[in-house]
Amino acid sequence: VSGAAYRYLRNADIFYQQGLLHEAKSLYQKALEESPMFSTPYYRLAQIVHSDGDVDTALDYLKFACLTDDPQPEIAQLLQKLGTQYLQNGAYDQATVAYSLILEHFPDFPDKDTLAYSTGILLTKQSAEPQHTLDLLQSATINYPNHPDFEQASYLIGDLQTKNNQPELAVATLTNFILTFPDSQWIAEAQLARGSAFLALNQNREAIADFTTVINTPIFPATLKREARKRRDDSAWSVYRVSDGLPNNQVQAIAIDGNFIWVGTSKGIMQVDLTDNSWQPIIDVSSTINQMFERGPINVRAIEATEQGVWVGTMNHGLIYYDKIDQTSINYTVSDGLPHKLVYDVQVDELNDEVWAGTFSGVVRYRRAIDTWVQYNREENDLPADDIVALAITPVTVWIGTSQSGLAYYSRTEDLWRSYGTFEGLEQIVGKSIISFDTTVDRVFFTWYNRQRQLNGYTEADLRGFESVSEEVSRGTTGPLENIQIAVSDNELWLVTNEDVYKRGRYSGKWDQIAYPTDRLGSITVNCIKLGDGVAWIGTSNGLAQLNTQALTVDQLETSGQSEEEVVPVPEENFLPEGVETQNE
């Protein structure tokens, strides 16, 4: 430091002591012009502006002071005061800067252990520099293992390792934390962080187990439960699109065929081999069907697969049958006996060797043994309408759903069509727009849309339809209400809408809501759902979504230690479909 700088400093200090701050500031700045690495003038300037309430400028002066050759201890004291002020005002970024300067430039500062922990914990609230924060907290836990903040820092280290792309270290760190501090106030956060680390390692089953633990632990906060549910649901999804071999992202029909799946889109069909949980498109078979017509790809609306072949309902080309044995395709059109070239749905009745198709101009029954097509329509058979958009086949009845005129069923024993309404036991709430069907051994299920009342829902009826229970799912302006699809297994009932997926144990009555992976799917329209072995396949306007249902169900039960009937939904969250808790009057 030059002699001139010292003279400016002494004179400035005299003005400062006399309260002549303007004159003092001028001389302190002249001292710095003479010797830029002189720490004391920076410190004095910081004191002056701080006394005027300018905390940010004071911090800037102290930054320069810390870079000089010999920063004085009083600089650290003022930095600590600034950090405290920033904290009180919620300015965590600036507080972290102040504290970090102390740790870096003043190794002998008192209470450095507390400052190290508090600075590291503050840094975790920011997204920047995770490695610096990680280094700081790891150093604090090594040097000061008996500090009160050691427990929280131990969890945060694991969380930072996850965020810093070190999932293996994160799993080890967080597992140790969970075992060491089972009653910690951060145990839920640690489970969430470890779940995310498992996801990064593609260990989805372990991840789902961690997320489900948080969901099913009653004492954990509702906000963490919601985050756990979101992460759990997201981890169970896979999404397939054109880049994975689909002809188009608009998936409108699905058929499960043993180890294969058939996917129908607005621009063709694709057969996929799912052996060993892999995804292998079979181009040759798909091309045989897709290239049948010169005018371009087929718009697939329905698919039904059997051991011998695959039936495909199309928008403009009627029915297509692909024979697996001969590897040939046949096209059935209006000239063959179809009522219309637009086929909404197709169902195979293997017991009676029949194929039923719902079209724009009625329903048709193809009796294969005698190669005969039998048409049923509104004019001749008293159907509610001719636009048959959905079908369901049972041993005693054939159900049809129309786009705006309700539903009816065909009695095999009577060889007669009957309307289905309130007289037959159907509840009043059911809408006239029938969307989808599914059946079990003794029940028939269908979804509907009530245009007049602006609501949708589903109905469960006995095999003949004489007793039913209808439940409302959503109403109002929650999006296109006509997009509601149903699928049923022996133990579960699934509903999908554009916003959510709902799963219910058929006998427990407990609902679970499963969110879509919106970061991958975006805003969607749902077109269909099929249940496979531990998998739910959902056709959407933005690709084919696969949900690992087996992992969700098994891990939920294993983690909670309860039977399926005993699993209790999270009380803090209302994730049930609207109106499903009680029967509608």
Side-chain angles (χ1 to χ4, degrees), residues 37-56:
M37 299 301 290
F38 195 2
S39 66
T40 304
Y42 287 119
Y43 171 67
R44 296 290 189 223
L45 287 168
Q47 283 184 305
I48 291 173
V49 296
H50 181 246
S51 64
D52 289 337
D54 190 349
V55 185
D56 291 340

Side-chain angles (χ1 to χ4, degrees), residues 196-449:
S196 296
F198 277 132
L199 276 185
L201 294 170
N202 293 319
Q203 297 178 22
N204 286 34
R205 188 177 181 87
E206 291 81 359
I208 291 171
D210 269 342
F211 299 146
T212 306
T213 295
V214 178
I215 294 168
N216 289 340
T217 304
I219 63 173
F220 288 166
T223 53
L224 293 180
K225 290 176 184 288
R226 283 191 289 271
E227 180 61 26
R229 185 176 300 280
K230 180 180 180 299
R231 296 191 196 183
R232 182 206 67 174
D233 296 349
D234 192 68
S235 67
W237 289 96
S238 299
V239 179
Y240 301 97
R241 294 195 180 88
V242 171
S243 57
D244 302 293
L246 293 184
N248 187 264
N249 288 337
Q250 181 72 250
V251 177
Q252 302 176 145
I254 303 166
I256 297 173
D257 185 15
N259 290 328
F260 300 89
I261 184 173
W262 295 84
V263 185
T265 77
S266 60
K267 292 187 178 180
I269 196 170
M270 173 60 69
Q271 184 191 25
V272 181
D273 187 347
L274 301 174
T275 306
D276 299 325
N277 295 318
S278 63
W279 173 273
Q280 297 294 331
I282 303 176
I283 305 300
D284 293 343
V285 173
S286 305
S287 298
T288 299
I289 302 173
N290 292 332
Q291 297 176 4
M292 290 182 65
F293 306 100
E294 296 180 356
R295 288 176 293 175
I298 56 174
N299 188 332
V300 179
R301 301 306 301 264
I303 310 173
E304 182 78 348
T306 68
E307 188 175 344
Q308 292 77 31
V310 179
W311 292 88
V312 182
T314 72
M315 173 71 79
N316 296 311
H317 297 98
L319 271 175
I320 297 171
Y321 177 67
Y322 173 76
D323 191 308
K324 294 180 182 178
I325 300 173
D326 296 338
Q327 297 183 353
T328 57
S329 298
I330 303 174
N331 181 215
Y332 296 101
T333 64
V334 174
S335 60
D336 298 296
L338 276 179
H340 198 277
K341 63 181 180 180
L342 169 53
V343 177
Y344 289 109
D345 199 2
V346 59
Q347 297 290 326
V348 176
D349 180 1
E350 293 189 82
L351 181 65
N352 296 295
D353 194 22
E354 296 177 343
V355 178
W356 290 76
T359 78
F360 186 73
S361 297
V363 63
V364 65
R365 176 187 190 182
Y366 177 38
R367 307 181 71 177
R368 299 186 67 190
I370 57 176
D371 192 26
T372 300
W373 298 78
V374 182
Q375 297 185 15
Y376 304 97
N377 53 49
R378 181 177 183 180
E379 182 177 350
E380 297 182 7
N381 306 101
D382 199 28
L383 300 187
D386 284 335
D387 53 336
I388 312 302
V389 297
L391 292 171
I393 305 293
T394 78
V396 295
T397 51
V398 177
W399 290 75
I400 61 169
T402 68
S403 65
Q404 298 183 46
S405 304
L407 67 164
Y409 66 94
Y410 172 73
S411 171
R412 295 183 186 274
T413 56
E414 299 175 300
D415 189 25
L416 186 68
W417 286 94
R418 295 185 180 275
S419 62
Y420 187 56
T422 55
F423 181 77
E424 293 79 19
L426 185 64
E427 295 198 355
Q428 293 277 5
I429 195 172
V430 177
K432 294 293 186 180
S433 297
I434 308 302
I435 311 301
S436 65
F437 280 105
D438 204 356
T439 62
T440 59
V441 174
D442 61 343
R443 313 292 284 175
V444 60
F445 301 79
F446 57 91
T447 56
W448 41 265
Y449 165 48

Side-chain angles (χ1 to χ4, degrees), residues 65-237:
C66 289
L67 297 176
T68 58
D69 297 330
D70 186 25
Q72 300 303 305
E74 56 266 24
I75 294 173
Q77 294 172 3
L78 183 53
L79 281 169
Q80 186 181 37
K81 184 181 293 185
L82 296 185
T84 302
Q85 281 187 263
Y86 281 129
L87 275 184
Q88 291 171 346
N89 294 326
Y92 298 115
D93 290 356
Q94 292 93 326
T96 302
V97 171
Y99 290 152
S100 296
L101 287 171
I102 299 174
L103 291 171
E104 183 178 356
H105 298 285
F106 301 93
D108 299 325
F109 185 78
D111 298 325
K112 189 176 180 181
D113 54 348
T114 298
L115 193 63
Y117 277 105
S118 59
T119 304
I121 292 170
L122 278 175
L123 280 170
T124 60
K125 298 181 179 181
Q126 308 166 42
S127 59
E129 300 184 359
Q131 186 60 54
H132 171 65
T133 309
L134 184 58
D135 293 341
L136 184 58
L137 285 177
Q138 286 177 323
S139 175
T141 55
I142 293 171
N143 294 322
Y144 315 109
N146 299 319
H147 194 274
D149 290 329
F150 176 87
E151 180 181 323
Q152 183 182 9
S154 299
Y155 142 66
L156 290 172
I157 287 171
D159 189 40
L160 286 166
Q161 287 169 333
T162 301
K163 297 174 180 176
N164 204 37
N165 199 27
Q166 299 172 311
E168 292 183 353
L169 286 175
V171 168
T173 300
L174 292 164
T175 299
N176 182 66
F177 175 85
I178 291 167
L179 294 174
T180 306
F181 304 104
D183 300 320
S184 173
Q185 70 181 90
W186 296 284
I187 194 72
E189 288 90 339
Q191 297 267 190
L192 279 175
R194 190 176 67 170
S196 296
F198 277 132
L199 276 185
L201 294 170
N202 293 319
Q203 297 178 22
N204 286 34
R205 188 177 181 87
E206 291 81 359
I208 291 171
D210 269 342
F211 299 146
T212 306
T213 295
V214 178
I215 294 168
N216 289 340
T217 304
I219 63 173
F220 288 166
T223 53
L224 293 180
K225 290 176 184 288
R226 283 191 289 271
E227 180 61 26
R229 185 176 300 280
K230 180 180 180 299
R231 296 191 196 183
R232 182 206 67 174
D233 296 349
D234 192 68
S235 67
W237 289 96

Side-chain angles (χ1 to χ4, degrees), residues 1-9 27-38 41-42:
V1 178
S2 69
Y6 273 117
R7 288 193 298 272
Y8 284 127
L9 176 65
L27 292 178
Y28 286 137
Q29 289 166 349
K30 288 185 178 294
L32 290 174
E33 291 173 5
E34 290 291 332
S35 297
M37 299 301 290
F38 195 2
Y42 287 119

